[in-house]
Amino acid sequence: MGVTIKDVAALAGVSPSTVSRTCKDHPSISKETKEKVRRAMTELGYEPNFQTSSQTAQILKNIGIILPPSPRETYENPFYLEAIRGISQFCNTHHAISTILTGQHDEEILSTIDTLIKNGQIDGFVVLYSKQDDAIIDYLYNEGLLYVLIGKAQQFANQTIYVDNDNLLAGQEAAEYLYSLGHRRIAYLGSDSSLLFSADRKSGYQLTLLKHNLPADSRYCIELTDASVDCSQPLHELLELEERPTAIIVSDDILAVSLERVCMQHGLSIPKDISILSFNNSLFARLTSPQLTSIDVNSFQLGIEAASQVINHIENPNLMATKIIVPHTLIERDSCRRLEIL
C-alpha cells in the first residue's frame, strides 16, 4: 500500500489538513512547519497526486459541505438549502470554492471525505447538522481535520468551532408565546432527539411548562424520525385524546405541514381548533393556508457565519475554537389564535 497523507502527517506530527495546505504552499502554514512536513514527505517518498499549477494555486481554499446522511429527505429541507446558499455566497466573495458531500449513510460520506483528504482537495469542512454519537464528527476530530459545525457540539465540545441558535431559548419563547395567548394544553412535535436542535427546543418547551406549573403529559410530546405518512399514527392518537391540546409547537415547518394534513383528516380547523407554531420560517410556512407562525432561525446567516469561521481558521490555524450564536425571530402569522382564559 502506498504512502498516504496520513502517514506524512503522523511522521511530521501535524494534521492531514496541514500536510494538504503545505503541498499547496498555503500562506497560513509557517515556514518551519512547511519544512518539517517536506522533510517527512522526502523521508517517506510521498508525492502529491494533484497539480499545483498557477491556475489551481489561485484557488486558495476549498470548503467541503457535509449534509446529514439520508436517502432523500435531507435534500428537500429548505433549511439546508438556505444554509448552503449562505456558505456559497461567502465563499464566492472570499476566493474559495465549496463542494457538497452527501450519501445515504455514514460509511458512504466517510469514504468520500477520505478520498478528498488523501488527494489534498479540501482545506476544511462545514457540517450542516449536529447529532449525538456522530461517526463523521469522530472521524474529522480524530484525523485532526478542520471543521465547523452548524449546531451545538456534543462530542469534543470545547475543541469544536460551531455556529448555532439558542434553541433552548427558542423553545421557551415558543411555549411562552402560546401561553400568553391563553393556551394551557400545549403539545410538542419534534424530530428525533438525537438531533440536538430538536432536543434543545423540546427542553425549552418543557422548562416553560414547569415555570407555569402546567402538567408535563407524556402523551403531548411526540418525536418522529421523518414527515412521512408512515409516521402519522402518533399524530392521530394525539388529536384523538379526550383533552386534545389546543396548541402544538413543531420543531420544523415540514413536520408542521404533515400535522396540518392530519388535522384536516380529523376535521379540525387551524387555528380555530388547534394553534400551530413551527420553526425555520421556510417556504413551507408561507405556502400553507393559513400561513404558519414560525420562528426564523436565520439559516442563511448560519451558513455565512460557518463559512466565515472555516475560512478564518484556515488562514489562522492557531485560533481557539469559536462559538457563535445567531439570533432567532418569531414571525407571527395566522396559525395561532388567542383563547379566552376562564
Side-chain angles (χ1 to χ4, degrees), residues 55-92:
Q55 182 179 6
T56 58
Q58 293 174 9
I59 301 175
L60 297 179
K61 296 166 279 288
N62 193 338
I63 311 304
I65 303 173
I66 302 177
L67 284 159
S70 171
R72 187 188 68 183
E73 288 82 3
T74 292
Y75 321 116
E76 299 173 348
N77 192 323
F79 171 85
Y80 297 117
L81 298 178
E82 276 294 286
I84 290 170
R85 188 170 72 89
I87 295 167
S88 299
Q89 179 170 302
F90 192 90
C91 287
N92 290 342

Side-chain angles (χ1 to χ4, degrees), residues 150-315:
I150 293 185
K152 185 174 70 175
Q154 183 201 47
Q155 300 146 271
F156 324 112
N158 198 46
Q159 296 81 33
T160 298
I161 311 158
Y162 68 80
V163 179
D164 196 13
N165 308 110
D166 188 337
N167 285 297
L168 183 72
L169 177 62
Q172 288 178 281
E173 291 181 354
E176 284 285 359
Y177 174 76
L178 293 171
Y179 184 87
S180 72
L181 294 179
H183 294 279
R184 299 296 182 263
R185 298 201 303 271
I186 305 171
Y188 178 83
L189 169 61
S191 305
D192 191 323
S193 281
S194 65
L195 296 171
L196 298 185
F197 75 88
S198 187
D200 278 354
R201 291 170 189 173
K202 173 185 170 184
S203 295
Y205 150 79
Q206 292 172 327
L207 284 172
T208 297
L209 295 186
L210 183 64
K211 173 184 173 181
H212 294 291
N213 296 314
L214 298 178
D217 190 332
S218 60
R219 298 174 300 171
Y220 281 13
C221 202
I222 298 174
E223 294 176 344
L224 302 178
T225 55
D226 59 55
S228 68
V229 175
D230 295 338
C231 291
S232 64
Q233 184 57 37
L235 302 184
H236 288 292
E237 293 174 0
L238 176 67
L239 299 179
E240 290 167 358
L241 291 174
E242 183 176 350
E243 289 194 324
R244 186 181 63 232
T246 62
I248 303 177
I249 297 170
V250 189
S251 69
D252 183 274
D253 291 334
I254 297 177
L255 277 177
V257 171
S258 294
L259 174 60
E260 283 192 330
R261 184 183 65 244
V262 176
C263 285
M264 290 177 61
Q265 293 171 3
H266 283 262
L268 299 174
S269 173
I270 301 167
K272 179 181 177 182
D273 298 312
I274 290 185
S275 291
I276 296 178
L277 189 156
S278 66
F279 278 81
N280 290 349
N281 192 37
S282 69
L283 180 63
F284 288 97
R286 302 189 295 276
L287 290 180
T288 58
S289 181
Q291 293 186 333
L292 291 170
T293 294
S294 187
I295 292 182
D296 192 336
V297 298
N298 297 302
S299 49
F300 177 71
Q301 188 65 31
L302 287 169
I304 288 177
E305 296 292 346
S308 172
Q309 285 303 310
V310 74
I311 289 174
N312 194 21
H313 282 261
I314 289 170
E315 296 175 345

